[in-house]
Amino acid sequence: MPVNKLPFDQPELLRPAPLLRGLQAEGPVHRVHTQTGDDAWLVTGYEEVRRLLDDDRLGRSHPQPEKAARIGESALFGGPMGDFDTEREDHTRMRSLLQPHFTPKRMRAFRPRVEELTTQLLDELERQGSPADLHQALALPLPILVICELLGVPYEDRGQFRAWSEAAGNTADHARSMQGLTDLYEYGKRMVELKRHEPGDDVITRLLELPDTDEDEIAMRAMNLLFAGHETTVVQIGMGALFLLANSGQWEALLAEPDLLTGAIEEIMRTPMVNGTGGIPRYARVDLAVGDAMVKAGELVLLHIGMANHDEKVFADPERFDVTRQAAGHVSFGYGARYCIGAPLARIELQAVFAQLIPRFPGMRLAVPVEELRLRADSLTSGLVSLPVKW
């Protein structure tokens, strides 16, 4: 029987949980308990995680969802999602609807606006002066501003949908999570109705112009984008800034050689470890072998992206943060058919942030010891509560 219960204690914010590192050293697959006490398989090996991310024998649905193991109490990702019989077709349709709005070409055209929004936030940061909370000043508002513009959602509503997003992603309180999810979708319906009468140059309006889509589906897709499109990037910006500030030589390297930034963004995506729920949840659709383990149909499999990105067989000295590393093989955006459609946008946001932040505030440093920083508790995406800085 499994004896290791998620989430594992992570005493050092800049390093993986010791128990995770110990498990990975033993092999790529492990039996664990989830936060809810259910049994699961935890996959920590890079090759195994990458292969399973694109393996049709795993999915997000379950033939008996009421009996399925869960990773937490979140109504959004805590357990099975979708229809077991139509999951593949539904996923293909979802990607076909959304992919055209997030192509690299469309995102490149949007880049100047992302850069402009970043500049505005840094202008305000400079006006407020040192010290400041970089989380509240930059990491949090930029992704919200960006996704609002793409979807056509009023930025003035950010306080509401941010609160609903945090509630929906709560992993400890199912009732709170369900209410947050309901509030988000109701808000999505109101946005769809608004765009029906007042169309704009945004994703919701363009989805309404497509044949064979209903307003409920568009509202659901739009709110899923609203959640995923800002929550994860908030974490990436905050943790990326933390790793650069905690490794001053890396900050100085980017200041001296801005051309390193493109590769540095991949290292920023690879290195940070936030435990969250313990991995990307998948359910076995059939019996299958993973490493030396035999996974039975219906069992929960957690693909630990963070530990895959810290597999020393692929990334030498994986806990070392190095902006010159060739880290493009990381799996932070997934792999294969489930590769994140928002990856081009996330890269543009990260590039805009660090291309401006570092030269504009060359002497920026942490205002508190790393040991005093905290991650959000009971959250799907985790991330920093605050990031105090001075310059």
Side-chain angles (χ1 to χ4, degrees), residues 351-380:
Q351 288 165 1
V353 164
F354 295 110
Q356 295 189 49
L357 178 67
I358 294 171
R360 188 158 176 181
F361 298 90
M364 182 172 283
R365 57 197 185 279
L366 292 173
V368 299
V370 173
E371 293 76 21
E372 292 185 16
L373 299 175
R374 295 291 177 265
L375 297 176
R376 291 160 56 199
D378 299 331
S379 169
L380 277 173

Side-chain angles (χ1 to χ4, degrees), residues 93-356:
R93 171 178 165 75
M94 181 272 292
R95 290 189 72 89
S96 69
L97 285 174
L98 299 180
Q99 189 81 55
H101 308 289
F102 292 88
T103 61
K105 181 179 179 180
R106 188 181 288 274
M107 291 300 98
R108 283 194 297 271
F110 191 53
R111 180 191 293 270
R113 181 56 178 153
V114 176
E115 293 171 345
E116 181 182 8
L117 292 170
T118 303
T119 300
Q120 291 172 3
L121 291 171
L122 293 179
D123 286 346
E124 181 60 27
L125 175 63
E126 192 167 27
R127 279 193 295 269
Q128 290 179 356
S130 175
D133 180 358
L134 199 60
H135 174 74
Q136 290 294 334
L138 182 63
L140 179 61
L142 179 64
I144 294 178
L145 279 164
V146 168
I147 201 65
C148 281
E149 292 219 2
L150 282 174
L151 291 176
V153 169
Y155 183 62
E156 296 73 32
D157 292 348
R158 65 190 181 280
Q160 284 186 315
F161 67 68
R162 176 65 182 170
W164 295 332
S165 293
E166 289 190 342
N170 188 281
T171 60
D173 187 334
H174 184 76
R176 182 187 174 201
S177 178
M178 182 60 75
Q179 186 60 56
L181 189 61
T182 300
D183 290 337
L184 261 182
Y185 287 156
E186 289 299 321
Y187 177 76
K189 291 178 183 178
R190 294 196 295 274
M191 287 298 102
V192 168
E193 180 65 19
L194 175 65
K195 294 299 176 181
R196 178 73 75 185
H197 296 95
E198 299 177 22
D201 182 17
D202 54 67
V203 172
I204 294 178
T205 296
R206 290 194 289 271
L207 288 174
L208 281 166
E209 294 169 352
L210 296 174
D212 303 323
T213 55
D214 62 57
E215 295 191 359
D216 283 349
E217 179 184 19
I218 293 172
M220 180 181 68
R221 300 299 183 204
M223 291 305 100
N224 285 344
L225 283 175
L226 185 66
F227 179 90
H230 85 272
E231 281 279 355
T232 53
T233 313
V234 168
V235 175
Q236 290 160 355
I237 292 173
M239 294 302 293
L242 170 60
F243 268 79
L244 284 169
L245 291 166
N247 295 273
S248 58
Q250 303 299 300
W251 181 281
E252 291 163 4
L254 291 179
L255 182 63
E257 296 185 63
D259 289 346
L260 291 174
L261 183 60
T262 298
I265 296 304
E266 303 308 313
E267 180 72 343
I268 285 170
M269 292 298 307
R270 181 198 72 86
T271 311
M273 289 284 298
V274 287
N275 278 339
T277 56
I280 303 290
R282 295 285 188 266
Y283 293 93
R285 299 179 68 89
V286 296
D287 294 351
L288 72 155
V290 181
D292 293 333
M294 179 55 67
V295 179
K296 301 296 185 182
E299 289 187 323
L300 175 60
V301 180
L302 299 174
L303 307 179
H304 204 296
I305 300 297
M307 288 312 297
N309 287 337
H310 279 246
D311 190 333
E312 60 186 11
K313 299 189 196 71
V314 181
F315 303 101
D317 193 7
E319 293 180 19
R320 175 173 53 87
F321 179 68
D322 181 0
V323 297
T324 67
R325 185 196 296 271
Q326 299 300 309
H330 67 76
V331 289
S332 297
F333 290 120
Y335 183 75
R338 291 184 180 270
Y339 188 79
C340 175
I341 62 172
L345 177 61
R347 285 190 170 99
I348 286 171
E349 290 183 64
L350 288 164
Q351 288 165 1
V353 164
F354 295 110
Q356 295 189 49

Side-chain angles (χ1 to χ4, degrees), residues 6-150:
L6 298 167
F8 298 147
D9 183 42
Q10 185 179 355
E12 295 183 64
L13 195 56
L14 303 182
R15 297 166 63 88
L19 184 52
L20 265 176
R21 174 60 77 204
L23 288 175
Q24 188 182 54
E26 294 174 6
V29 190
H30 319 274
R31 288 295 269 171
V32 296
H33 282 313
T34 69
Q35 191 174 6
T36 56
D38 292 322
D39 292 346
W41 295 97
L42 180 68
V43 186
T44 59
Y46 176 88
E47 292 297 338
E48 291 79 9
V49 167
R50 191 174 74 153
R51 174 171 55 81
L52 293 174
L53 282 167
D54 194 32
D55 194 324
D56 282 342
R57 294 175 297 174
L58 298 179
R60 283 294 288 115
S61 60
H62 194 281
Q64 296 179 290
E66 68 285 352
K67 296 182 179 179
R70 297 182 60 85
I71 61 171
E73 294 299 339
S74 170
L76 194 56
F77 290 108
M81 296 177 62
D83 188 307
F84 185 79
D85 295 323
T86 63
E87 178 181 354
R88 293 171 187 170
E89 294 81 0
D90 294 342
H91 181 255
T92 300
R93 171 178 165 75
M94 181 272 292
R95 290 189 72 89
S96 69
L97 285 174
L98 299 180
Q99 189 81 55
H101 308 289
F102 292 88
T103 61
K105 181 179 179 180
R106 188 181 288 274
M107 291 300 98
R108 283 194 297 271
F110 191 53
R111 180 191 293 270
R113 181 56 178 153
V114 176
E115 293 171 345
E116 181 182 8
L117 292 170
T118 303
T119 300
Q120 291 172 3
L121 291 171
L122 293 179
D123 286 346
E124 181 60 27
L125 175 63
E126 192 167 27
R127 279 193 295 269
Q128 290 179 356
S130 175
D133 180 358
L134 199 60
H135 174 74
Q136 290 294 334
L138 182 63
L140 179 61
L142 179 64
I144 294 178
L145 279 164
V146 168
I147 201 65
C148 281
E149 292 219 2
L150 282 174

